[in-house]
Amino acid sequence: MTGVWVAVIVASVGCYLLKLAGVSLPPSVLERDDVQRVATMLPVAMLAALVAVELFDSAGSLGLDLRLLAGVGAGVVALVLRQSFLVVIVVAAVVTAVLRALT
Amino acid sequence: MGHESRAAIRRDAAAMAGYAGAFGASFGAVSVASGLTVWQTMVLSLVMFSGASQFALVGVIGSGGAGLAAVPTALLLGVRNAFYGVPLTRILGRRALSGPRRLVTAQLVIDETTAMAVGHDEEPAQRYAFWATGVLLFLLWNAGSLAGALGGSAIGDPATLGLDAMIPAAFLALLWPRLRTAEGRWVAVGGALVATVLIPLVPAGVPVLAAAPIAVVAGLLPRRGREVTR
């Protein structure tokens, strides 16, 4: 078996086991009040961080694609105007694509 | 949960799975161009099933890294899925996580399913959003990967269509309801700030993980208006 196959299998199984570990906490831990409050806030903090990484990570250094930022900004405007999820993501993509085609 | 809201959730899940399919095609093409076989590409999409980890792994291999050198980065990017499991365990309930069902449920714990679940308020809608997104996204991600791996350079760059803007826009849209409270806003802003500052300083995957302690602090702080025991 080549090195690439070893990497593919080890990393794939490892990633799966990480997912499995996350959904394997015993109820005695999960039912604790403080754990529940942390669990509610966990995705808020991490998904907000993920948005920041999507916007500002340019191959490991800080970078900014203004067309992408403008597109996502347009999506936020749609959000403020109470548009649906579908409208928000389509607006973001279309504005970004148009700006990329023009510049 | 009414018939209408289920249909709305399915529509949102389909939109998310649709762009994931486009990125799956992009992944398949990049993977084969990086020197992986179609089979290796498909093992990644079926078993690893985590976009960031997959792109990172083939990226390291493609840039000439020895096979095993690619593993730590992929795993580091996968650690956040373990964190997502904690809120999802509560949302999904005991039945989805008992016995062999847990093995299936675990595989669907990714950014998109977590975001879709927390993007809703009521538990039945949260559960439905998790499953609808998980199943559709798994199917389209893998179909896309296969098409990309076979089609290779014929697959265009999703960025041309602005599809890369859909990812942060989608996560923002799903976070939106959680920003109604001051606490939610502080936690989100804090998480985004910590991640941004860390981007140039730490390996890929760590900025998102570093946001987790903010949730821990927010969760453990006594809240205003709440009786503090002791």
Side-chain angles (χ1 to χ4, degrees):
Chain A
M1 204 159 60
T2 67
V4 173
W5 264 120
V6 174
V8 165
I9 289 169
V10 170
S12 295
V13 172
C15 280
Y16 174 72
L17 291 176
L18 283 167
K19 294 175 179 176
L20 190 60
V23 291
S24 301
L25 282 178
S28 56
V29 174
L30 287 164
E31 278 155 19
R32 285 176 45 176
D33 231 26
D34 49 355
V35 173
Q36 295 215 357
R37 288 206 304 274
V38 170
T40 309
M41 283 299 138
L42 211 47
V44 177
M46 293 177 76
L47 291 171
L50 189 60
V51 171
V53 169
E54 297 282 353
L55 288 177
F56 306 126
D57 184 356
S58 169
S61 55
L62 281 175
L64 192 55
D65 177 350
L66 286 175
R67 297 160 299 183
L68 177 74
L69 195 67
V72 175
V76 171
V77 172
L79 266 177
V80 173
L81 296 175
R82 301 177 157 271
Q83 296 302 305
S84 70
F85 176 78
L86 205 58
V87 171
V88 170
I89 63 173
V90 170
V91 163
V94 169
V95 170
T96 305
V98 168
L99 289 175
R100 284 200 178 123
L102 293 177
T103 52
Chain B
M1 184 179 32
H3 174 75
E4 208 167 307
S5 59
R6 276 180 184 250
I9 290 171
R10 276 201 304 274
R11 194 192 54 209
D12 293 353
M16 214 158 198
Y19 79 63
F23 276 94
S26 166
F27 168 74
V30 169
S31 177
V32 169
S34 302
L36 281 83
T37 64
V38 174
W39 281 109
Q40 288 165 340
T41 302
M42 289 316 294
V43 168
L44 288 176
S45 282
L46 289 163
V47 182
M48 187 179 275
F49 185 52
S50 188
S53 296
Q54 291 179 228
F55 271 109
L57 187 90
V58 302
V60 175
I61 291 173
S63 60
L68 280 175
V71 175
T73 312
L75 290 178
L76 203 49
L77 282 159
V79 173
R80 66 173 180 256
N81 294 328
F83 283 78
Y84 293 154
V86 182
L88 284 175
T89 303
R90 204 181 53 147
I91 289 169
L92 295 172
R94 209 160 286 177
R95 209 166 64 89
L97 295 167
S98 61
R101 291 192 63 168
R102 185 167 63 194
L103 301 178
V104 177
T105 308
Q107 180 64 330
L108 302 180
V109 175
I110 53 174
D111 297 318
E112 287 82 358
T113 49
T114 306
M116 278 288 280
V118 303
H120 293 85
D121 288 322
E122 305 292 331
E123 230 165 57
Q126 292 179 324
R127 288 181 192 182
Y128 192 74
F130 173 87
W131 288 108
T133 310
V135 170
L136 280 174
L137 207 143
F138 186 83
L139 292 175
L140 285 183
W141 176 255
N142 279 286
S145 299
L146 186 60
L150 297 173
S153 54
I155 302 290
D157 182 359
T160 318
L161 296 174
L163 295 187
D164 51 336
M166 280 190 169
I167 300 173
F171 290 135
L172 270 175
L174 295 167
L175 267 179
W176 209 249
R178 302 277 81 80
L179 306 182
R180 281 189 298 239
T181 64
E183 187 189 23
R185 287 194 291 271
W186 278 114
V187 168
V189 169
L193 271 179
V194 166
T196 305
V197 169
L198 288 177
I199 286 167
L201 305 176
V202 296
V206 177
V208 174
L209 296 180
I214 293 185
V216 175
V217 172
L220 297 183
L221 279 179
R223 288 185 205 174
R224 252 177 303 179
R226 174 200 295 268
E227 242 183 284
V228 183
T229 45
R230 196 161 56 100

